[in-house]
Amino acid sequence: MSNANREAPPSAGRAGIKRELPEHFRDYRHVWVFIELERGEVHPVSFELLGEGRKLADKLGIQLAGIVLGPPGEATQHAVAEAFAYGADLVYLVEAPLLADYRNEPFTKAMTDLVNTHKPEILLLGATTLGRDLAGSVATTLLTGLTADCTELDVDVDGSLAATRPTFGGSLLCTIYTLNYRPQMATVRPRVMAMPPRTDKPVGRVIRHKLSMTEEEIITKVLGFNLDRQSAKANLAYADIVVAGGLGLGSAENLQLVKNLARAIGAEYGCSRPLVQKGWMPADRQVGQTGKTIRPKLYIAAGISGAIQHRVGVEGADLIVAINTDPNAPIFDFAHLGIVTDAIRFLPALTEAFTRRLS
Ligand code: FAD
């Protein structure tokens, strides 16, 4: 537990009202973004967060830092270089063989030691499987606040982080403040924020930190790594084209129509939540608030009503085409192109037309 958190006053300020922050908060500076490195690859959500972190840091007049935790070697060095290329002013680096595979204990130890030593004001992580695990344990170890799955990040008039996320099943948005504790932590799901441009910025300042932990102190042992090929293939969040089916398709068999169209146009396929609940599609194909957030160039939704929980996951798409028999379906409120027809008849015709044109 950091001193700041032990001394924090119980009173809270109110959003939008200027208030004096506790004196010792002045020690906490800079926006940090955790650069997620798993199996040698940087997760793109880290770059999306650097884009958001840059905006917050500029508003607050402070620096943006990338946090790289990994084993000594090329992949970790590449992650450092990429952090600079996507806007970090400096990088805090912990390089240790114990950080080769993600395990909660050494990553939490590395991150909390960094926080207690260098005191960031804001700490952002991707809401990936790894990021959620790490963020929760870092926040509870530091006894600070964490707002999960944010859809918007901003700075309030008093300089506090205003972290907005859906609540009440997605029907309302709430803005959450961590007024009495530092750092202010937030996670953001992949693709919720736009990807910033990559620059050829020369490498900046790297601050190295040692991991003070031994293998004997870690309960978790990595015995092997089995890649789930099915879910590894479902790269919905970063696909350029996504075709999705909803309950309007009527049966699990009819989902083949969605898959056929997706194959014909080189797209990924997805679905609305009820299809996962019925066991017609695996959970990693679900699009929406409790599924994947997507930002494709083209999104084709067939037999999907467009409930708010679905909408929040797809409205970042450049072009939304909706196929629905009901002209009053909510999806037509946000689709760019609406086709009022029976998807079960229309999808095969569309697939055939594309196949003919593309062959
Ligand atoms: P329906 O709402 O039943 O709509 C089917 C549509 O198909 C209708 O508009 C109908 O007119 C049309 N249709 C019928 N026959 C045809 C046909 N032959 N051709 C074309 N159109 C036809 N949902 C998600 O999708 N993703 C989420 O992540 C998600 N998270 C949720 C989280 C919470 C906490 C809650 C409470 C709900 C969540 N939901 C989510 C569920 C969401 O509220 C809706 O219930 C769901 O999106 C509806 O799925 P649907 O559009 O496939 O089905």
Side-chain angles (χ1 to χ4, degrees):
M1 179 178 171
S2 70
N3 281 343
N5 291 346
R6 224 176 286 137
E7 290 163 12
S11 64
R14 262 194 300 138
I17 295 178
K18 190 142 179 67
R19 58 175 213 130
E20 280 303 307
L21 294 177
E23 189 59 31
H24 59 274
F25 276 14
R26 293 191 208 288
D27 300 342
Y28 285 77
R29 290 177 65 75
H30 305 318
V31 178
W32 284 14
V33 171
F34 172 59
I35 308 299
E36 181 172 327
L37 183 63
E38 205 180 13
R39 313 212 68 74
E41 298 276 331
V42 178
H43 196 294
V45 72
S46 310
F47 306 138
E48 294 159 14
L49 286 178
L50 283 170
E52 285 307 295
R54 179 80 269 158
K55 291 181 211 161
L56 298 174
D58 289 349
K59 278 185 188 171
L60 289 162
I62 55 180
Q63 288 197 310
L64 173 66
I67 308 303
V68 177
L69 314 178
E74 227 173 82
T76 303
Q77 288 308 320
H78 177 70
V80 171
E82 287 300 285
F84 288 120
Y86 282 95
D89 298 311
L90 72 156
V91 165
Y92 291 97
L93 170 66
V94 185
E95 253 182 323
L98 294 188
L99 300 170
D101 287 295
Y102 176 74
R103 289 179 290 173
N104 180 275
E105 302 114 303
F107 274 72
T108 300
K109 175 75 176 145
M111 184 70 100
T112 52
D113 278 359
L114 274 178
V115 168
N116 285 329
T117 309
H118 299 283
K119 299 187 175 7
E121 198 169 340
I122 294 171
L123 172 55
L124 308 176
L125 299 93
T128 57
T129 309
L130 188 162
R132 284 169 202 260
D133 185 69
L134 181 61
S137 61
V138 167
T140 47
T141 307
L142 295 169
L143 297 183
T144 189
L146 165 65
T147 309
D149 291 350
C150 298
T151 51
E152 203 184 320
L153 298 171
D154 206 350
V155 174
D156 201 40
V157 287
D158 67 357
S160 303
L161 176 69
T164 301
R165 56 152 298 147
T167 187
F168 286 104
S171 54
L172 289 176
L173 290 174
C174 64
T175 300
I176 296 174
Y177 297 83
T178 301
L179 294 174
N180 292 326
Y181 301 94
R182 288 293 182 269
Q184 304 157 95
M185 289 182 63
T187 64
V188 179
R189 290 166 48 186
R191 289 304 241 170
V192 168
M193 305 300 184
M195 179 69 81
R198 190 180 182 285
T199 63
D200 286 327
K201 197 174 157 208
V203 169
R205 193 156 66 106
V206 178
I207 299 171
R208 289 176 175 271
H209 194 94
K210 279 202 165 55
L211 176 67
S212 56
M213 200 173 213
T214 61
E215 182 62 49
E216 291 66 45
E217 293 171 85
I218 307 171
I219 303 170
T220 318
K221 307 291 172 201
V222 179
L223 302 180
F225 187 83
N226 293 324
L227 191 66
D228 176 351
R229 299 208 173 274
Q230 267 317 100
S231 50
K233 258 170 61 188
N235 191 17
L236 271 186
Y238 291 91
D240 278 343
I241 311 176
V242 175
V243 184
L247 266 188
L249 292 179
S251 70
E253 290 68 45
N254 283 340
L255 285 175
Q256 194 55 45
L257 305 178
V258 166
K259 293 180 190 172
N260 291 347
L261 176 58
R263 195 176 324 114
I265 59 176
E268 280 286 354
Y269 62 88
C271 66
S272 62
R273 182 159 96 154
L275 275 57
V276 174
Q277 289 169 326
K278 281 179 177 291
W280 293 357
M281 279 250 197
D284 67 335
R285 297 276 175 186
Q286 182 188 318
V287 175
Q289 187 195 322
T290 44
K292 298 260 165 64
T293 300
I294 60 173
R295 275 179 179 267
K297 294 193 172 87
L298 171 64
Y299 177 56
I300 303 176
I304 293 179
S305 60
I308 181 68
Q309 296 88 356
H310 189 83
R311 177 176 179 163
V312 294
V314 304
E315 58 192 355
D318 291 344
L319 179 67
I320 300 175
V321 178
I323 308 161
N324 199 302
T325 44
D326 176 6
N328 298 314
I331 199 158
F332 292 132
D333 294 342
F334 60 94
H336 302 100
L337 184 64
I339 303 166
V340 181
T341 192
D342 177 359
I344 298 162
R345 292 175 51 202
F346 187 69
L347 285 175
L350 194 59
T351 306
E352 201 191 316
F354 273 122
T355 308
R356 250 190 284 122
R357 205 162 171 83
L358 297 174
S359 63

